[in-house]
């Protein structure tokens, strides 16, 4: 065991509820996957594709729904052969299979109690076809990623769920999720060109193949005959046909798509329709081809405030008639809760409870059509009685893209923002229904009355243009009285929707588990029995997703409700929506932010010292704490801004011994010597054989601790020059702070980054000054990222005091040449400053070097030469700082073609974390690196030296600062030294 191995007990919850939770994982599950299931699946698929630890099972047991079911095993297939093998095994052993992709489903359909199949990790990819008119997409690809590829062709997918950044295309098709604008005409059912799927028997069907029906008839003759028999039976019943058509005149995802029997003429065509919205109960969707739609780029939108929800609903038909692309409804609770979202006006927090708003958007292909829409919108406005309940409210339409994006950010955060504002420890239910759009106002009034009668203070929002409303309910699933209140509400709500409005109990979230008991109430016995017969025909052994969509238990929606125990305050608002997962660097290696919180909550459900808790703790150190990059991009994706990375840094601090904390603080106080020693070590190591240095560091890691001693990687740059360029304080336009990483490590070429920055500034007539005493100072990120609070405080206060002096009390801007250091100095040091130094910090202007170069230097420079192509790696720190546009602007000045990979994300090198856990960077950059390696680029650019090192390690291509490239592009014929004093 390493000398400084941390004690797992340091992560054990210090406080816990008075009694264990009723839904805790039982002790007999502490060993993880039982035998022989574990060994049989491992032999079948390989150990790397079978997850068996109790922590694996727990982290996959939750999704965005109010339910929680712990699987027996999680498998991660890589191809169709693996999927077929899993299904064949399940048939032979009498087991059950549930497919899970993003886990953003709201009704529990991504959870299973036996074999859970993760079909996200290895099932991504977008192939744009026919100049963007069609797209072939892997089921694990997010909607946002697919649309990013299509946007370059002026196209977009029809379905547009609010969870597009996280939900996957396979899940969207399997649930027929639609969103703000899809309605009944742009959803998956209407825009799907073809799909490839695997039936429960393992038969693979590609509906695009010309002989697909012939192949299916050979493989599954009874299935083909049965489908055609059901089609004939349905078509012979005129009343049933009329009922089916009427049900899909409004949005409806409750039950199976019986209209597939009317719209399809062959078994393959029928199956193609039935797969849409089948929620994984008919087969696995392995690939889809969508017919795409035009991306109309001329956008006008307005956020209009009304005195009440019914008043807002009454205006919806007027905007529909005016040609609105989207009309979204938000009630007062939704508006107030959305202030937790960055950019939402703070004065919304004081809006009257009765307030409601409509977000109305018009889209056009050209300016002429846009102007016509705007005129129609203005005519509607003239007849409305609007409210101005806050100073930020304008009640006008705008073309400003930033403003419009802010409106949509508030709207799309509905579930997570409102859920995040719920009382801590309560479970969140998200309901979704539709009524004929003309009766929306009446439905709003009825819903409000129902909520009041049952004691729920619910939030309401929805796709008002299509009569589709969403509302949220919060209750404590550990209290039988609260569960009973929810059950009574559901009974009344379902009867109200069906009997009064003939509406859909699920408009776009699919039946899942919580509406399955009410399926017959909506559809009637005849149609419901046809759905049961269809399931029996396609999956006669009941292998796939039992109790999802169809369940004869009238109390099924109350089974498996999850408790939400309180954990650390920073994580309590989490509703487990999964929006954070696609941006997480460790998503394909260990755990995601959501899973880190899910695991923590299970620890709190357990009695202290239970075998389950111990199993979770044993895995949590590496799976959650060590392999968190701490990049905080999860906070950007989370609608309520939860920074799980900050929580992991707190846990790192908790694991430190007092001796470690003292040593880290001493290193901060003597950083001048540490810096010089580090530079010397790099210089010596760079002159030795990489293999020898790597072996030496690996041996040290085993003796000391892998999370403390970095591993030397091939290609680590050599030492930076001993001295910085000479500069003058007199006449300087800014103070230039070379980050310690650029004072220790060399750049990729003959010109160091500090020399390049000084040359550029001089060349542009905006000279900079480098203080003589920068050595021994740091942005404190080294200590912050590792959770060394004492050392962090020492360095944070030292650098702010120094910066105050260098900049003459904030008179000059401080330009920093590493984006992570800019972020650290500008934001992350603040909590560790003394009161006096916080006052000093408020006076500082801290600028990232690409921003300074783009805004102050580039307009004054002449570009003499460019390269043909450049690929950019925007760092995660730049995302936090909002610098990506400036990075691109600089690159475009240097290269004729600039490309940012669609899969660009955090490289997870995170200072030295990529050397502590090289597997983290390798996993995080896999997709981006594959793209970079797929073609040649003349330049590979970023804005942070260690991120550049990480990308070099991942791609084998030499990365450097965009400022180095800018210096080369603008360099006159005389040497660079002539521009440096």
């Amino acid at each position: 065991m390493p000398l400084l191995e941390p004690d797992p007990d340091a992560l054990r919850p210090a406080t816990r509820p008075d009694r264990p939770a009723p839904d805790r994982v039982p002790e007999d599950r502490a060993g993880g996957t039982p035998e022989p299931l574990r060994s049989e699946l491992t032999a079948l698929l390989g150990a790397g594709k079978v997850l068996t630890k109790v922590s694996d099972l727990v982290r996959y047991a939750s999704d965005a729904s109010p339910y929680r079911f712990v699987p027996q095993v999680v498998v991660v297939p890589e191809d169709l052969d693996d999927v077929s093998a899993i299904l064949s095994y399940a048939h032979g052993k009498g087991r059950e299979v549930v497919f899970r992709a993003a886990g953003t489903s709201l009704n529990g359909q991504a959870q299973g109690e036996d074999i859970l199949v993760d079909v996200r990790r290895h099932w991504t990819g977008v192939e744009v076809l026919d100049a963007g008119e069609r797209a072939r997409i892997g089921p694990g690809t997010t909607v946002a990623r697919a649309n990013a590829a299509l946007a370059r062709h002026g196209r977009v997918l029809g379905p547009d769920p609010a969870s597009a950044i996280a939900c996957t295309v396979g899940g969207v098709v399997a649930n027929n999720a639609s969103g703000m604008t899809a309605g009944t005409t742009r959803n998956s059912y209407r825009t799907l060109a073809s799909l490839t799927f695997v039936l429960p028997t393992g038969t693979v069907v590609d509906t695009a193949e010309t002989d697909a029906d012939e192949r299916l008839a050979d493989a599954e003759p009874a299935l083909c005959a049965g489908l055609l028999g059901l089609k004939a039976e349905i078509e012979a019943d005129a009343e049933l046909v009329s009922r089916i058509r009427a049900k899909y005149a409004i949005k409806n995802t409750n039950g199976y798509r019986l209209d597939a029997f009317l719209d399809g003429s062959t078994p393959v065509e029928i199956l193609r329709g039935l797969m849409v919205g089948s929620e994984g109960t008919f087969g696995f969707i392995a690939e889809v081809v969508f017919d795409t739609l035009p991306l109309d780029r001329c956008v006008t939108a307005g956020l209009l405030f009304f005195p009440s929800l019914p008043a807002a609903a009454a205006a919806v038909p007027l905007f529909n008639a005016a040609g609105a692309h989207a009309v979204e409804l938000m009630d007062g609770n939704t508006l107030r809760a959305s202030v937790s979202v960055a950019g939402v006006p703070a004065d919304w927090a004081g809006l009257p409870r009765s307030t409601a708003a409509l977000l109305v958007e018009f889209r056009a292909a050209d300016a002429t059509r846009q102007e016509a829409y705007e005129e129609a919108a203005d005519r509607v406005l003239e007849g409305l009685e609007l409210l101005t309940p806050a100073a930020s409210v304008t009640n006008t339409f705008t073309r400003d893209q930033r403003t419009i994006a802010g409106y949509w950010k508030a709207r799309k955060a509905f579930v997570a923002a409102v859920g995040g504002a719920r009382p801590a420890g309560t479970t969140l239910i998200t309901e979704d229904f539709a009524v004929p759009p003309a009766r929306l106002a009446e439905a709003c009034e009825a819903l409000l009355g129902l909520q009041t009668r049952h004691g729920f203070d619910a939030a309401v929002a929805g796709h008002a243009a299509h009569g589709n409303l969403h509302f949220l309910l919060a209750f404590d699933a550990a209290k039988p009285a609260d569960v009973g209140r929810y059950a009574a509400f559901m009974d009344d709500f379902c009867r109200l929707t069906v009997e009064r409005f003939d509406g859909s109990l699920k408009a776009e979230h699919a039946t899942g588990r919580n509406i399955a008991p009410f399926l017959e109430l909506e559809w009637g016995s005849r149609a419901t029995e046809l759905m049961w017969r269809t399931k029996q025909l396609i999956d006669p052994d009941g292998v796939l997703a039992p109790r999802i969509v169809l369940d004869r238990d009238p109390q099924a929606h109350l089974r498996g409700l999850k408790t939400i125990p309180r954990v650390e305050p920073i994580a309590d608002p989490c509703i487990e929506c999964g929006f954070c997962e696609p941006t997480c660097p460790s998503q394909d290696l260990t755990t995601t932010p959501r899973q880190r919180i899910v695991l923590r909550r299970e620890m709190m459900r357990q009695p202290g010292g239970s075998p389950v808790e111990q199993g979770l703790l044993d895995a949590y150190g590496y799976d959650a704490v060590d392999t968190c990059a701490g990049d905080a991009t999860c906070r950007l994706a989370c609608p309520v801004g939860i920074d799980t990375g900050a929580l992991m840094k707190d846990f790192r601090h908790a694991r430190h011994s007092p001796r470690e904390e003292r040593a880290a603080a001493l290193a901060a106080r003597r950083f001048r010597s540490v810096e010089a020693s580090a530079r010397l070590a790099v210089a010596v190591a760079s002159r030795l054989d990489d293999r020898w240095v790597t072996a030496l560091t690996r041996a040290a890691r085993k003796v000391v601790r892998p999370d403390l001693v970095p591993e030397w990687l091939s290609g680590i740059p050599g030492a930076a020059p001993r001295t910085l360029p000479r500069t003058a304080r007199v006449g300087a336009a800014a103070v230039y702070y070379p980050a310690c990483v650029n004072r220790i490590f060399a750049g990729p070429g003959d010109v160091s980054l500090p020399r390049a920055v000084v040359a550029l500034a001089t060349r542009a007539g905006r000279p900079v000054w480098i203080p003589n005493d920068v050595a021994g100072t740091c942005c404190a990120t080294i200590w912050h990222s590792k959770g060394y609070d004492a050392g962090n405080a020492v360095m944070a206060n030292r650098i702010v005091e120094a910066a105050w002096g260098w900049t003459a009390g904030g008179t000059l801007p401080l330009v920093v040449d590493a984006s992570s250091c800019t972020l650290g100095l500008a934001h992350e040091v603040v909590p560790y400053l003394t009161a006096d130094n916080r006052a000093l910090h408020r006076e500082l202007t801290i600028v990232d070097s690409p921003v300074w170069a783009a805004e102050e230097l580039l307009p004054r420079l002449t570009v003499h030469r460019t390269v043909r192509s450049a690929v950019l790696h925007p760092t995660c720190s730049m995302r936090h700082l909002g610098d990506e546009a400036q990075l691109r602007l600089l690159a475009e000045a240097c290269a004729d073609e600039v490309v940012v990979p669609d899969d660009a994300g955090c490289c997870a090198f995170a200072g030295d974390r990529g050397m502590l856990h090289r597997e983290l960077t390798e996993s995080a950059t896999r997709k981006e690196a594959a793209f970079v390696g797929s073609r040649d680029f003349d330049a590979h650019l970023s804005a942070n030296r260690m991120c550049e090192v990480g990308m070099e390690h991942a791609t084998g291509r030499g990365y450097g600062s965009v400022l180095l490239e800018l210096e080369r592009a603008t360099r006159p014929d005389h040497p660079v030294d002539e521009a440096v004093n």
Side-chain angles (χ1 to χ4, degrees):
M1 177 180 290
L3 296 176
L4 297 179
E5 186 72 11
D7 181 3
D9 280 349
L11 300 178
R12 194 180 300 276
T15 60
R16 63 181 71 245
D18 294 337
R19 60 180 62 86
D23 62 333
R24 67 187 181 278
V25 176
E27 287 192 7
D28 61 8
R29 302 294 303 277
T33 301
E35 293 289 0
L37 181 62
R38 179 198 301 250
S39 57
E40 289 175 349
L41 283 175
T42 299
L44 180 69
L45 300 171
K49 301 176 186 177
V50 185
L51 307 180
T52 62
K53 295 183 300 184
V54 65
S55 61
D56 294 325
L57 309 185
V58 169
R59 67 189 174 98
Y60 274 94
S62 295
D63 59 12
S65 79
Y67 299 99
R68 196 172 81 104
F69 293 97
V70 181
Q72 294 286 332
V73 68
V74 177
V75 293
V76 189
E78 294 184 0
D79 51 34
L80 285 175
D81 288 341
D82 285 347
V83 173
S84 293
I86 293 165
L87 292 174
S88 177
Y89 174 83
H91 271 286
K93 299 292 184 176
R95 307 205 71 111
E96 300 166 354
V97 173
V98 170
F99 297 107
R100 174 185 174 124
T104 56
S105 53
L106 296 167
N107 297 318
Q109 56 265 53
Q111 297 179 39
E113 300 173 76
D114 195 2
I115 301 174
L116 188 69
V117 185
D118 181 341
V119 292
R120 176 191 57 84
R121 187 178 304 181
H122 299 295
W123 299 85
T124 59
V126 182
E127 180 185 2
V128 177
L129 307 171
D130 303 334
E133 291 193 3
R134 292 186 305 141
R136 187 186 313 277
I137 310 173
T141 307
T142 66
V143 173
R145 172 64 178 85
N147 279 334
L150 289 168
R152 290 190 289 273
H153 302 271
R155 308 292 292 185
V156 69
L157 295 179
D160 63 336
S163 57
I165 64 167
C167 69
T168 63
V169 168
V172 166
V173 175
N175 291 288
N176 198 23
S178 48
M180 279 70 70
T181 65
T184 59
T185 60
R186 296 164 58 104
N187 60 24
S188 296
Y189 189 82
R190 299 299 178 192
T191 61
L192 198 63
S194 67
L195 73 161
T196 300
F197 56 88
V198 185
L199 290 168
T201 57
T203 299
V204 179
V205 180
D206 180 354
T207 67
E209 293 182 342
T210 56
D211 61 347
D213 274 295
E214 182 179 342
R215 291 187 178 191
L216 184 62
D218 289 341
E220 308 273 358
L223 173 61
C224 291
L227 290 171
L228 292 176
L230 286 174
K231 173 180 173 62
E233 184 178 339
I234 292 170
E235 290 179 332
D237 189 334
E239 183 178 351
L240 179 60
V241 169
S242 177
R243 179 62 177 160
I244 292 170
R245 292 301 189 195
K247 289 299 295 177
Y248 293 111
I250 62 173
K251 293 176 69 171
N252 193 336
T253 59
N254 193 17
Y256 296 130
R257 292 284 314 208
L258 292 181
D259 55 345
F261 289 104
L262 305 177
D263 298 331
S265 58
T266 71
V268 167
E269 290 177 359
I270 293 170
L271 280 174
R272 171 237 173 257
L274 284 171
M275 289 298 296
V276 177
S278 62
E279 305 176 49
T281 63
F282 288 161
F284 166 57
I285 297 172
E287 184 179 83
V288 299
V289 177
F290 270 101
D291 290 323
T292 65
L293 300 169
L295 176 59
D296 295 331
R297 298 184 186 272
C298 297
V299 182
T300 299
L303 189 61
L304 313 175
F305 286 72
F306 295 80
S308 68
L309 196 62
V316 172
L318 304 177
F319 286 112
N320 282 345
H325 180 70
V327 184
E328 294 293 301
L329 179 68
M330 292 176 279
D331 77 341
N333 281 352
T334 300
L335 294 166
R336 291 195 304 276
S338 65
V339 298
S340 63
V341 178
V344 173
D347 59 8
W348 286 13
L351 292 174
R353 296 174 65 85
S354 60
T355 306
L358 291 180
L359 170 52
V360 183
E361 182 178 275
F362 295 86
R363 282 185 171 268
D366 54 59
T368 301
R369 188 60 182 154
Q370 183 180 26
E371 290 172 2
Y373 280 141
E374 289 171 346
E375 291 173 2
D378 288 340
R379 288 193 294 270
V380 175
L381 278 182
E382 291 174 359
L384 297 178
E385 293 185 10
L386 299 176
L387 193 68
T388 309
S392 64
V393 173
T394 63
N395 286 326
T396 59
F397 282 91
T398 181
R399 294 184 179 185
D400 182 72
Q401 293 304 301
R402 184 182 295 272
T403 301
I404 294 171
Y407 293 159
W408 279 110
K409 189 174 183 182
R411 168 60 189 93
K412 291 182 178 182
F414 166 64
V415 172
V418 177
R422 78 197 187 283
T426 56
T427 298
L428 189 71
I429 299 281
T430 306
E431 293 300 344
D432 152 57
F433 71 108
V435 300
R439 301 187 68 184
L440 182 66
E442 181 187 354
C444 286
E445 288 186 301
L447 177 61
L448 291 174
L450 190 65
Q451 292 167 343
T452 300
R453 287 199 302 275
H454 287 276
F456 285 108
D457 183 19
V460 178
H463 316 311
H466 309 292
N468 179 193
L469 291 175
H470 304 300
F471 62 94
L472 306 177
L473 308 172
F475 65 94
D476 190 340
K479 297 179 179 179
D482 259 23
V483 174
R485 181 164 58 100
Y486 163 66
F489 174 88
M490 284 299 295
D491 289 342
D492 288 351
F493 161 70
C494 290
R495 285 196 299 270
L496 173 74
T497 302
V498 171
E499 295 170 0
R500 180 168 169 180
F501 296 101
D502 194 19
S504 307
L505 292 175
K506 282 297 171 188
E508 60 178 2
H509 292 166
T511 309
R513 297 176 183 274
N514 73 326
I515 292 296
F518 304 99
L519 181 65
E520 187 170 337
L521 173 66
E522 177 178 338
W523 275 97
S525 59
R526 171 86 169 109
T528 303
E529 281 306 309
L530 283 167
M531 293 180 190
W532 277 97
R533 289 169 59 191
T534 302
K535 169 68 172 175
Q536 177 66 25
L537 177 65
I538 298 173
D539 183 21
D541 295 329
V543 168
L544 294 182
R547 308 196 72 166
I548 296 173
V549 183
L550 299 175
D551 196 327
R552 299 193 191 276
D553 178 3
Q555 301 295 308
H557 59 305
L558 307 179
R559 177 176 170 267
L561 290 170
K562 66 183 174 188
T563 61
I564 304 291
R566 296 189 181 196
V567 287
E568 288 69 22
I570 191 175
D572 268 338
C574 177
I575 62 165
E576 303 174 7
C577 66
F579 282 27
C580 56
E581 294 193 334
T583 192
C584 179
S586 59
Q587 62 176 299
D588 290 335
L589 178 67
T590 50
T591 58
T592 67
R594 169 170 61 177
Q595 292 174 339
R596 289 175 169 98
I597 295 172
V598 163
L599 289 166
R600 196 67 182 165
R601 284 174 170 166
E602 181 56 36
M603 293 181 200
M604 297 299 290
R605 292 187 183 98
Q606 292 291 321
S610 77
V612 171
E613 182 195 46
Q614 190 59 53
L616 299 179
L617 286 170
D618 290 343
Y620 202 77
Y622 175 77
D623 287 354
V625 180
D626 293 346
T627 52
C628 174
D631 62 322
T633 53
C634 52
R635 178 173 64 81
L636 298 178
C638 176
V640 292
I642 297 174
D643 184 355
T644 312
L647 178 60
M648 296 303 108
K649 292 169 189 174
D650 288 344
F651 288 154
R652 288 170 189 166
H653 174 69
R655 293 195 305 178
H656 295 156
S657 67
R659 182 176 60 177
E660 287 180 80
E661 282 288 327
R662 288 193 298 270
L666 180 63
R669 285 191 289 270
R670 299 182 179 177
F671 190 63
R672 187 182 186 94
S673 297
V674 172
E675 178 184 333
S677 299
R679 191 200 160 280
L680 178 62
V682 170
V684 171
S686 64
R687 288 174 170 79
L688 301 175
D689 188 303
D690 277 339
R691 291 173 296 180
W692 187 88
V693 182
T694 299
L696 180 64
T697 56
R698 285 180 177 173
R701 286 162 59 82
K702 291 180 181 179
V703 173
V704 181
R705 177 171 142 199
D707 204 51
L708 281 180
V709 180
E711 177 184 345
W712 182 267
L713 303 178
S714 176
I716 292 289
R722 287 191 180 89
T723 60
L724 294 167
R726 288 175 289 112
T727 56
R729 183 168 190 168
V730 177
V735 176
Y736 168 35
Y737 180 65
C740 65
V741 67
N742 292 317
R743 306 194 305 263
I744 295 172
F745 290 100
D750 295 333
V751 178
S752 71
L753 181 58
R755 287 181 64 200
V757 172
V758 171
L760 285 167
T762 303
R763 199 174 293 160
R766 303 287 287 165
V768 294
W769 172 59
I770 302 176
N772 296 327
D773 57 344
V774 296
T777 64
C778 172
C779 66
T781 299
I782 295 172
W783 293 268
H784 180 252
S785 66
K786 298 177 183 297
Y788 289 112
D789 287 0
N792 194 0
V794 169
M795 187 56 72
N797 284 281
R798 179 190 298 175
I799 185 60
V800 168
E801 291 167 2
W804 174 258
W806 295 335
T807 61
T811 303
L812 293 176
L814 183 72
V815 177
V816 186
D817 66 2
S819 57
S820 60
C821 301
T822 308
L823 181 66
L825 282 169
H827 301 288
E828 293 174 347
V829 299
V830 174
Y832 300 89
L833 299 177
T834 64
D836 288 344
N837 284 340
R838 288 191 187 189
L840 299 184
H841 185 272
R842 284 194 291 269
E843 300 300 321
L844 297 177
T845 301
I846 300 166
V847 185
D848 204 16
S849 55
V851 175
W852 168 259
E855 296 177 356
E856 294 292 330
L857 307 184
L858 186 58
R860 298 174 172 87
L861 294 171
T862 300
V863 175
H864 297 287
R865 61 194 65 82
T866 60
V867 296
R868 289 188 303 273
S869 63
V871 63
L872 285 185
H873 174 73
T875 70
C876 51
S877 297
M878 299 188 82
R879 287 187 60 196
H880 287 285
L881 294 165
D883 293 359
E884 292 171 288
Q886 288 92 339
L887 176 70
R888 184 167 194 128
L889 183 66
L890 295 176
E892 288 172 343
C894 305
D896 301 330
E897 178 195 12
V898 175
V899 177
V900 178
D902 288 336
D903 290 311
C906 176
C907 68
F909 211 76
D912 67 349
R913 192 143 298 268
M915 299 169 71
L916 296 171
H917 301 286
R918 60 185 296 175
E919 68 277 13
L920 178 59
T921 288
E922 290 165 0
S923 177
T925 57
R926 178 174 54 86
K927 294 176 186 176
E928 183 178 359
F931 172 81
V932 172
S934 70
R935 58 166 287 190
D936 292 328
F937 291 98
D938 297 306
H940 301 74
L941 307 176
S942 190
N944 191 299
R945 190 65 188 117
M946 297 317 290
C947 295
E948 293 155 13
V949 172
M951 289 305 298
E952 287 180 14
H953 177 68
T955 65
R957 308 285 180 89
Y959 275 75
S961 170
V962 69
L963 297 183
L964 291 173
E965 192 63 35
L966 183 65
E967 192 282 318
R968 281 190 285 269
T970 61
R971 185 186 304 171
D973 292 336
H974 57 78
V976 64
D977 284 337
E978 297 179 17
V980 180
N981 292 327

